[in-house]
Amino acid sequence: MSLRISSNSKFDPAGIALDEMDRSRPLVDRTSRGAMAESPMETAAPGETPPAAEPIPDDPSRVKGKELVVPICYGTCAYWLGKKADEYHSHKWTVYLRGAEHEDLSHCIEKVVFNLHPSFKEPVRVLEKPPYEVTETGWGEFEIGVTVHFASDAGEKPLELSAPLKLYLEDTEKGKAESKAAKKPVVKEKYEEIVFHEPREEFAKRIEGHKPKKAPETEITPVLGKRDDRDELLKIATARKVVAERIGVVKQQLDALS
């Protein structure tokens, strides 16, 4: 099993951090396609090794040349408490892991473990069924460890992820003031694809035969709506136009010097 990394997460004007990959793809079978050619994104940031657990090469229970892909989203959603806020409890926040289309993932996930800051009471929280969410109040930002344990018949090691808790759009006085004035949640979310490379035959049959169903709705479900890529595509097109214009200016300057 390996994890395909989606990078370049960022905040949109509404304060929601989104990546530039399509969340609409369901679980797919990539038996006859090369892994490197399937995604234009890098599998890890420069200098980093993506978390991956390769199957045992001689395991006869595994289906050679087959891949199963499960898209997931995980991150944090924070609300400023307004008049209820105090020095130690300025925000109510939720850390979560969900299906990219809010589907129930319990057919392939046994449990999700969230590792909060040690200052919290019971910092290790274990969720054995969806929704995989933990809600708390606090005042500071920190990294939250997320460990995904797969179904026993998958035969895979747990997957380690990290969700940075974000309370403000920007960690500046101006950014904090704008976040409070907007009265909107600050969402920091990542989209990634869990790739089961050469899965066990029984696990593959069960996953492929599974009929998707929605996970239970929670308070933050409406905030984490379906992704609309049109805004992101417009931003990309605008950025490309700006780059092309700057390249043209540089070429003119070089021509003037020659």
Side-chain angles (χ1 to χ4, degrees):
M1 181 272 295
S2 61
L3 177 68
R4 177 161 299 119
I5 302 297
S6 168
S7 57
N8 297 330
S9 292
K10 56 188 178 182
F11 291 105
D12 72 4
I16 299 180
L18 298 170
D19 58 78
E20 296 177 357
M21 294 188 68
D22 182 13
R23 295 181 184 170
S24 62
R25 289 181 292 174
L27 175 69
V28 296
D29 176 359
R30 294 178 174 171
T31 304
S32 60
R33 297 163 61 186
M36 295 304 294
E38 293 158 6
S39 172
M41 306 299 293
E42 295 180 354
T43 56
E48 293 184 356
T49 301
E54 291 300 323
I56 301 173
D58 298 326
D59 187 348
S61 68
R62 296 196 178 264
V63 185
K64 304 299 181 183
K66 189 182 190 67
E67 286 187 347
L68 295 176
V69 181
V70 178
I72 63 168
C73 294
Y74 65 97
T76 62
C77 176
Y79 290 86
W80 181 54
L81 291 175
K83 294 181 179 180
K84 297 180 180 179
D86 59 38
E87 183 179 0
Y88 298 105
H89 302 276
S90 61
H91 288 76
K92 176 183 178 181
W93 54 262
T94 299
V95 58
Y96 62 89
L97 182 142
R98 66 182 179 90
E101 296 297 321
H102 298 283
E103 65 271 30
D104 188 324
L105 297 176
S106 59
H107 63 294
C108 61
I109 292 178
E110 180 182 83
K111 62 182 177 181
V112 178
V113 180
F114 295 97
N115 293 279
L116 311 183
H117 191 276
S119 61
F120 282 88
K121 183 178 181 181
E122 299 179 3
V124 179
R125 311 289 177 88
V126 181
L127 282 300
E128 297 182 342
K129 60 181 180 180
Y132 304 113
E133 296 182 1
V134 171
T135 299
E136 277 288 356
T137 60
W139 58 272
E141 299 178 341
F142 58 94
E143 294 283 334
I144 301 174
V146 183
T147 306
V148 183
H149 295 260
F150 299 103
S152 58
D153 59 346
E156 304 290 357
K157 295 180 180 179
L159 179 65
E160 300 289 344
L161 304 170
S162 180
L165 174 59
K166 194 75 175 177
L167 303 181
Y168 304 99
L169 295 178
E170 295 180 13
D171 191 18
T172 62
E173 291 303 320
K174 181 180 179 182
K176 292 179 180 180
E178 290 177 348
S179 298
K180 294 177 181 179
K183 295 182 180 180
K184 294 181 179 180
V186 174
V187 179
K188 178 72 173 178
E189 181 172 270
K190 295 181 181 179
Y191 168 92
E192 293 179 354
E193 295 178 344
I194 301 175
V195 181
F196 294 93
H197 178 61
E198 296 189 352
R200 286 182 172 177
E201 186 174 4
E202 290 186 6
F203 176 73
K205 288 181 178 179
R206 188 171 62 79
I207 296 301
E208 291 176 325
H210 173 74
K211 294 183 179 180
K213 63 178 182 179
K214 292 293 183 181
E217 289 197 5
T218 67
E219 181 182 356
I220 66 172
T221 300
V223 178
L224 309 175
K226 289 187 177 181
R227 167 76 180 281
D228 186 345
D229 285 330
R230 288 176 294 183
D231 288 341
E232 290 298 329
L233 293 174
L234 178 60
K235 292 176 185 177
I236 293 171
T238 302
R240 286 176 175 172
K241 182 179 179 181
V242 171
V243 171
E245 291 175 349
R246 291 180 179 177
I247 291 175
V249 171
V250 172
K251 285 183 177 179
Q252 291 178 1
Q253 293 174 341
L254 291 175
D255 292 340
L257 293 174
S258 60

